[in-house]
Amino acid sequence: RGYAMQRHPLPHRLKVGALCLALGNLGLAQAQENDSATLDAVVVTAQKRTETAQEVPLTVDVIDGQALSDSGAGRTAGEITRFIPNASAATLDNHGFPRWFIRGVGTGEPSLNNVTPIGIYTDDVYLGSAFLTGAPLFDIERVEVLPGPQGTLWGKNSPGGAVHIVTRKPVFKQEGWLKADLGDYKARTVQGAINHVLKEDTLALRVSFSSDGREQYARNITKDATGKLDDNALRAQLAAVLTPELDVLLSAHHRRYTQNDITSYIVFGEQGKTDSYGNPYAVWPDRVYAFNEPSDTLREQSGISLTLNWTPGKYTLTSITAFERATETGTSGDGVPQEIYRSYADNTIKQVSQEFRLASPREDRWNWITGIHLYKQDIDSFSATGSLDPARQSVSNPGFTRADWTHHNKSFAVFGSTTYAFTDRFKLTGGLRWTRESKKLDSTRDRQVTGVNFTGNRHWWDANDAALTRYVATDGDKTWTAISGDITPEYRINDNLRTYLRFARGFRSGGFVASPATQAAAGSFAPEYLNAVEWGVKSEWLNGRAILNASLFHYDYKDIQINVIRGDATLGAVSRMQNAGSARVYGAEFQGVWAPTDNLRLRGSIGLLRTRYTDYTSGGNDYSGNEFGRAPHITAVLGFDYRLPLGGDHALTFGGDINTRSKFSFSATDPENPANQQSGYTLINLRAGYRLDPKTHLNFYVDNATDKAYSQASLPRGLTAVGSSLGAPRTWGVTLNYQW
């Protein structure tokens, strides 16, 4: 019993495999110190059951927590996609707001009330806003990534897929670990965990922590300074086995993130050209920016959850109760040396969720799982923008604008999934979920056009209400219901070869434009639906030394929620969420891992993807036939791990991975604009280490070894300039790991 993930030996027919079939990082989930070339099984909970990854009849990408830490990744959750083809999760403001995309499905809209079609879960707890999903990954058991619609068991607004982060749980033995990492850009990371047995076989406590900080990758040439960020997090878990039938896990966490000199986008333009104030544009890919305005961000996030598992007989009842709260305050400027614009934001998100599940034994010929999910989210947002340029203090771009909005979301769902084994070789799984989701928005915008002067005013955003004029007011209340689900026949061809055919439907509820810039831009957007067909094969070869998995998929995507960003001569970049008509997605993924010797692991995966809007018109323009943004045709990951024994407990270790993707555009509505295009690029990450003894490891790593310049996103800044979010440059570091 207990909470530690167990690595189980499998019968010979599966020993090879159930390792992480994990696309891009297939081989990373193997035990790092395993001297046997036979690959270990990895246990997952992709179907809310404990089973091996190779036995699950759908694509499951698994990244092992220890391998993630050893690779130097995981400072933000979005970094897991570097190991997965057909996936990305750019974090434009360093450690927050990942833009999650899997197989072309995702959203770049960063609004607090907008949910991503990729459902993000931590220990079965759904995180409803992308704002909650960028926390660092530390003391992690594994991350499970499920591409495609998750309309039954992970059905909370997850039509494009689900990401499940599984933390290491308390175990009933004294243990711990400590990691110290130093690198360039004054980077330093300290992480660790202490596991303590309070009462033998009954009560255990695990405390984990992470402290990460570094300088920004870009330099403010006006202030002749480089911004900094600090990301500190703490998690405490108390596990209790109250009776042989009842166990409880209480988990609490807190995170504090600070950042100054916001550098999400650097504005690039043609060499020699200037903006309207005479400032020369940065030249690609110079990592410099210039502004005088104060720019700081503070984010804090706390949460608590209680998980109970009760098995009085053959059935198991699970209850997961969770509360999450996050706040953000920040100031920023417009990115030019003159003090022309300022902005301020103060946001709070609260969510409460409750899930009950009842499950029969998985080994039964007919087995099932059913449950209900309740969710409530409340958002309060205040923001202000000030213009110090008299020439721009007009009705269209006033001297002071204040926006207030509140958003409430309630959701209730009933779900069930069942599997019946007709024979030892043939099984059929089917599931349904009924969802009812309600959203309510109250939003206002006020402005003061003349007589504005913020010079020397520390709290300039506290404007006099009497001087403000209301020009936008929205009050919306909508409810949607939907049925989603899946059906999957699977067949075991022989002991080492299995195939499945999965039909799935996913749903993402509609919503409101939270803070429209004009009354005309206010309104709501409808739910979206994704129907998918996936055929897959999972296989093991060479007497347990290799696995090879493949899948083909086709999506029929309706009423797609898409954010359209256009440059405006007066307002700059204008973004609005709307529905596109329909689209088709199809592709293939191949994954493999091979252990040719006891000390060498080779892994690789490739993703092929095609996307196309079949019906999409907006603003009098027809975008039908265009491809999705952020959807390269080809992505691939190759990697290796090699261990060179030196005698005794000493060993050298070497590893690396190559991640490549073909050309793509960031925009579905303006894909031919060179400012929105990203040429194909390849990133190379390398590492080497020395094992002093079984408890002590010294590692060296270099990420983006060739210092490749590439963009994570583009954002029009008026009619001619473009803001670009550059990916991380070449970075290096040294890590010391100690465990006991």
Side-chain angles (χ1 to χ4, degrees):
R1 209 180 174 84
Y3 287 91
M5 185 187 83
Q6 302 298 315
R7 295 180 182 272
H8 299 287
L10 292 178
H12 171 67
R13 60 183 172 82
L14 273 185
K15 245 184 172 177
V16 106
L19 163 67
C20 288
L21 70 114
L23 308 184
N25 199 35
L26 222 54
L28 282 181
Q30 95 248 348
Q32 295 295 306
E33 302 305 327
N34 181 15
D35 290 335
S36 172
T38 301
L39 301 175
D40 287 339
V42 165
V43 173
V44 298
T45 54
Q47 297 186 113
K48 302 295 179 80
R49 311 277 199 151
T50 300
E51 53 194 336
T52 58
Q54 285 291 93
E55 292 283 351
V56 178
L58 72 159
T59 300
V60 184
D61 312 330
V62 186
I63 300 95
D64 180 73
Q66 186 59 53
L68 186 69
S69 177
D70 290 345
S71 68
R75 289 183 173 88
T76 178
E79 291 184 356
I80 63 174
T81 58
R82 101 179 198 189
F83 304 112
I84 304 171
N86 285 335
S88 67
T91 52
L92 308 191
D93 46 356
N94 293 295
H95 284 201
F97 279 110
R99 278 71 165 169
W100 297 92
F101 286 81
I102 299 178
R103 293 178 176 175
V105 179
T107 180
E109 173 57 53
S111 297
L112 293 174
N113 71 318
N114 184 49
V115 296
T116 169
I118 311 301
I120 311 299
Y121 304 79
T122 297
D123 292 333
D124 284 319
V125 175
Y126 173 71
L127 302 175
S129 172
F131 175 64
L132 305 175
T133 68
L137 301 181
F138 61 99
D139 205 28
I140 297 297
E141 182 65 44
R142 66 189 182 278
V143 181
E144 303 174 13
V145 181
L146 287 68
Q150 305 301 317
T152 304
L153 300 176
W154 305 91
K156 185 70 177 74
N157 289 314
S158 305
V163 176
H164 185 207
I165 300 166
V166 183
T167 64
R168 288 177 179 158
K169 307 301 188 298
V171 293
F172 295 108
K173 63 179 180 179
Q174 306 293 127
E175 66 174 26
W177 63 275
L178 183 66
K179 169 185 174 181
D181 185 319
L182 294 176
D184 56 347
Y185 294 93
K186 297 183 179 179
R188 81 295 179 279
T189 302
V190 179
Q191 295 179 341
I194 299 175
N195 193 97
H196 182 63
V197 179
L198 301 176
K199 185 176 181 181
E200 186 176 359
D201 296 328
T202 301
L203 197 62
L205 173 68
R206 189 177 188 93
V207 178
S208 312
F209 65 90
S210 175
S211 179
D212 177 42
R214 63 166 170 82
E215 291 184 338
Q216 306 279 38
Y217 295 137
R219 183 170 183 81
N220 188 339
I221 57 177
T222 300
K223 297 180 180 179
D224 191 26
T226 302
K228 298 179 181 180
L229 65 85
D230 287 282
D231 201 346
N232 300 295
L234 179 69
R235 180 171 61 245
Q237 300 178 92
L238 182 66
V241 178
L242 303 181
T243 71
E245 294 80 25
L246 177 63
D247 57 57
V248 179
L249 176 68
L250 178 64
S251 178
H253 65 88
H254 179 75
R255 178 196 184 201
R256 178 184 171 88
Y257 174 80
T258 60
Q259 174 185 341
N260 59 15
D261 273 10
I262 311 303
T263 59
S264 298
Y265 290 95
I266 297 175
V267 180
F268 297 100
E270 186 178 344
Q271 189 169 4
K273 295 295 182 65
T274 62
D275 63 21
S276 58
Y277 297 97
N279 304 302
Y281 290 126
V283 179
W284 176 271
D286 292 346
R287 295 179 182 272
V288 297
Y289 59 99
F291 62 84
N292 277 317
E293 302 91 336
S295 181
D296 299 280
T297 294
L298 168 63
R299 296 186 184 125
E300 293 191 276
Q301 182 176 346
S302 301
I304 187 168
S305 65
L306 179 67
T307 302
L308 297 90
N309 291 292
W310 184 42
T311 311
K314 63 181 298 186
Y315 302 109
T316 300
L317 177 65
T318 299
S319 169
I320 304 170
T321 308
F323 171 78
E324 199 81 19
R325 183 180 188 273
T327 61
E328 176 190 45
T329 57
T331 61
S332 63
D334 62 348
V336 296
Q338 298 85 358
E339 194 169 6
I340 298 170
Y341 296 108
R342 292 180 184 176
S343 64
Y344 172 81
D346 187 349
N347 304 305
T348 300
I349 298 178
K350 299 177 183 178
Q351 71 167 55
V352 180
S353 61
Q354 173 66 58
E355 181 164 301
F356 294 105
R357 297 196 302 262
L358 181 65
S360 68
R362 188 60 161 166
E363 60 271 14
D364 285 359
R365 186 180 190 89
W366 174 53
N367 58 83
W368 48 265
I369 182 171
T370 186
I372 63 173
H373 184 271
L374 301 98
Y375 175 83
K376 183 177 184 293
Q377 180 196 67
D378 298 297
I379 302 176
D380 292 290
S381 176
F382 168 83
S383 62
T385 302
S387 169
L388 303 180
D389 179 11
R392 296 209 173 189
Q393 292 180 17
S394 62
V395 173
S396 60
N397 201 333
F400 177 83
T401 299
R402 184 181 71 183
D404 290 274
W405 58 272
T406 60
H407 185 266
H408 306 284
N409 179 8
K410 293 182 180 180
S411 175
F412 173 76
V414 181
F415 60 88
S417 179
T418 183
T419 299
Y420 185 77
F422 289 89
T423 70
D424 291 341
R425 293 181 178 270
F426 178 68
K427 296 180 181 179
L428 181 65
T429 298
L432 287 174
R433 186 184 191 102
W434 179 83
T435 302
R436 184 181 191 273
E437 187 148 0
S438 300
K439 293 184 178 180
K440 178 177 175 58
L441 173 74
D442 292 300
S443 178
T444 61
R445 272 185 178 267
D446 304 309
R447 65 187 174 194
Q448 180 182 355
V449 178
T450 60
V452 179
N453 185 358
F454 303 123
T455 304
N457 186 350
R458 180 181 177 89
H459 296 283
W460 57 268
W461 52 85
D462 293 331
N464 182 1
D465 289 351
L468 298 177
T469 301
R470 180 151 299 170
Y471 69 106
V472 177
T474 61
D475 183 0
D477 190 348
K478 284 182 176 289
T479 298
W480 301 272
T481 61
I483 295 178
S484 56
D486 59 84
I487 183 168
T488 308
E490 55 180 300
Y491 185 72
R492 182 183 299 277
I493 299 172
N494 57 45
D495 288 348
N496 299 310
L497 181 63
R498 293 160 304 286
T499 186
Y500 63 89
L501 182 64
R502 184 172 186 263
F503 303 85
R505 178 177 175 83
F507 155 82
R508 179 163 59 144
S509 66
F512 294 94
V513 179
S515 186
T518 65
Q519 191 67 48
S524 62
F525 46 91
E528 67 177 21
Y529 302 88
L530 197 157
N531 298 317
V533 180
E534 177 177 311
W535 172 73
V537 174
K538 296 187 176 183
S539 62
E540 301 85 39
W541 303 86
L542 303 178
N543 197 31
R545 289 180 177 265
I547 65 174
L548 180 62
N549 298 329
S551 62
L552 306 175
F553 55 89
H554 180 274
Y555 293 173
D556 185 9
Y557 207 179
K558 300 290 187 182
D559 298 322
I560 306 161
Q561 296 173 15
I562 180 173
N563 65 301
V564 177
I565 301 176
R566 293 187 176 93
D568 184 273
T570 302
L571 299 177
V574 177
S575 173
R576 189 188 191 281
M577 183 68 77
Q578 59 184 228
N579 291 99
S582 59
R584 299 288 177 87
V585 177
Y586 59 94
E589 292 168 352
F590 306 90
Q591 313 93 35
V593 60
W594 179 33
T597 72
D598 290 350
N599 296 309
L600 177 63
R601 300 292 187 273
L602 304 175
R603 59 188 181 277
S605 61
I606 186 169
L608 308 177
L609 184 67
R610 290 293 187 275
T611 62
R612 184 172 68 90
Y613 289 100
T614 56
D615 179 15
Y616 180 20
T617 58
S618 176
N621 299 310
D622 189 352
Y623 302 113
S624 301
N626 286 7
E627 296 187 342
F628 291 6
R630 306 175 193 251
H633 292 175
I634 302 174
T635 57
V637 181
L638 298 173
F640 77 97
D641 289 284
Y642 179 68
R643 178 175 176 270
L644 177 63
L646 299 178
D649 293 325
H650 303 282
L652 293 176
T653 58
F654 304 92
D657 57 82
I658 301 173
N659 188 310
T660 187
R661 55 196 62 210
S662 59
K663 177 182 176 180
F664 61 93
S665 174
F666 291 108
S667 173
T669 57
D670 191 18
E672 301 304 320
N673 184 344
N676 289 327
Q677 294 178 350
Q678 171 61 57
S679 59
Y681 63 91
T682 298
L683 302 179
I684 300 175
N685 307 304
L686 302 172
R687 58 187 178 277
Y690 176 61
R691 188 177 77 169
L692 288 74
D693 55 58
K695 297 181 177 181
T696 311
H697 300 252
L698 186 65
N699 295 309
F700 303 87
Y701 63 87
V702 179
D703 289 338
N704 190 5
T706 61
D707 200 22
K708 178 65 178 179
Y710 65 98
S711 181
Q712 300 182 97
S714 65
L715 180 68
R717 300 296 293 264
L719 297 177
T720 58
V722 62
S724 184
S725 174
L726 290 174
R730 176 172 52 229
T731 57
W732 58 266
V734 56
T735 302
L736 180 64
N737 295 274
Y738 179 75
Q739 58 184 353
W740 63 90

